[in-house]
Amino acid sequence: NAGVTQTPKFRILKIGQSMTLQCTQDMNHNYMYWYRQDPGMGLKLIYYSVGAGITDKGEVPNGYNVSRSTTEDFPLRLELAAPSQTSVYFCASSPMGHLTTNTGELFFGEGSRLTVL
Amino acid sequence: GQQLNQSPQSMFIQEGEDVSMNCTSSSIFNTWLWYKQDPGEGPVLLIALYKAGELTSNGRLTAQFGITRKDSFLNISASIPSDVGIYFCAGQNKETSGSRLTFGEGTQLTVNP
């Protein structure tokens, strides 16, 4: 039961570097999300996707890009890393959109801790 | 945008004590969810509430969906050390925000043995 898998778990970047956080889910969920969690703060939505080929901005999209070429994968890209992007990033998926479910539940990965120096 | 005010921010309690935390909003939600986050892990769903006034239990946890649809509380009875973690409320309004959840800022719970 893999669920939502994120890689890497930890990464240190220099200012201006780029990287991609990988996220994959094996639950056939249509909906996927990227959140960031700063110390003492709740989860802020960066981008989300309601299905392959469809993405949309959340609350804090600046500095990030996403793509959704398959149902399973939802990578998050940082093009020019900045210290303000130091955070813990969580990918999540949801069965929303399936005819058999009405749940708002999100299933989260274990997180990717990113430090930008 | 929608905001959730979660309180308290942190709690330090003795094992065996009961705990209560709540979330309030200026906006209406039609789903309330309570998540727990263990250190180094992603949040995990504890309880989901779908109807105003609904009271739902999950073991020692009880949560209620406020009648006004603008608040929810979570109670933990007879706390144990493994209850330590961050508890988040989350609200959803499919009419205004689709599948997106709005999260509270979390309640950090510490249980002293």
Side-chain angles (χ1 to χ4, degrees):
Chain A
N1 292 338
V4 178
T5 303
Q6 291 182 234
T7 56
K9 288 194 179 344
F10 303 93
R11 182 73 186 268
I12 298 175
L13 283 181
K14 294 182 179 179
I15 294 173
Q17 285 186 319
S18 62
M19 76 159 297
T20 299
L21 299 177
Q22 302 291 345
C23 176
T24 187
Q25 53 94 7
D26 62 359
M27 297 174 283
N28 199 31
H29 287 171
N30 287 328
Y31 288 51
M32 296 188 73
Y33 310 81
W34 274 105
Y35 288 88
R36 59 176 289 172
Q37 183 180 30
D38 299 320
M41 304 294 287
L43 295 153
K44 300 294 185 186
L45 183 64
I46 305 171
Y47 270 95
Y48 69 103
S49 168
V50 301
I54 306 169
T55 62
D56 213 340
K57 296 178 180 178
E59 301 170 76
V60 290
N62 292 345
Y64 307 95
N65 277 301
V66 293
S67 60
R68 185 91 183 275
S69 56
T70 66
T71 299
E72 294 78 19
D73 300 307
F74 191 40
L76 177 72
R77 181 142 182 97
L78 286 70
E79 291 291 351
L80 291 169
S84 61
Q85 293 178 304
T86 293
S87 189
V88 181
Y89 291 84
F90 288 99
C91 179
S93 71
S94 166
M96 280 276 295
H98 288 196
L99 294 176
T100 57
T101 181
N102 188 38
T103 180
E105 178 180 3
L106 266 59
F107 295 79
F108 286 87
E110 293 186 343
S112 297
R113 185 176 297 275
L114 177 66
T115 302
V116 182
L117 301 175
Chain B
Q2 296 171 320
Q3 288 188 325
L4 288 183
N5 297 310
Q6 184 171 351
S7 64
Q9 280 189 315
S10 60
M11 301 182 73
F12 297 85
I13 63 170
Q14 293 297 125
E15 183 176 0
E17 289 183 357
D18 296 342
V19 172
S20 184
M21 59 192 78
N22 69 83
C23 275
T24 60
S25 172
S26 57
S27 305
I28 288 173
F29 292 105
N30 48 38
T31 298
W32 281 95
L33 305 165
W34 284 92
Y35 285 83
K36 182 193 177 195
Q37 183 180 24
D38 290 326
E41 303 285 332
V44 175
L45 183 68
L46 297 174
I47 291 181
L49 303 157
Y50 300 108
K51 289 174 59 175
E54 180 180 358
L55 184 72
T56 297
S57 293
N58 178 8
R60 293 178 296 106
L61 278 61
T62 301
Q64 183 156 33
F65 190 145
I67 287 290
T68 64
R69 296 166 62 194
K70 293 182 178 181
D71 63 327
S72 176
F73 73 74
L74 175 71
N75 287 342
I76 305 173
S77 63
S79 59
I80 59 178
S82 62
D83 290 335
V84 164
I86 305 175
Y87 292 79
F88 290 101
C89 63
Q92 183 185 61
N93 187 323
K94 294 177 190 175
E95 285 79 21
T96 59
S97 304
S99 69
R100 288 172 289 170
L101 298 182
T102 300
F103 281 87
E105 294 186 349
T107 296
Q108 173 76 61
L109 178 64
T110 301
V111 180
N112 296 315

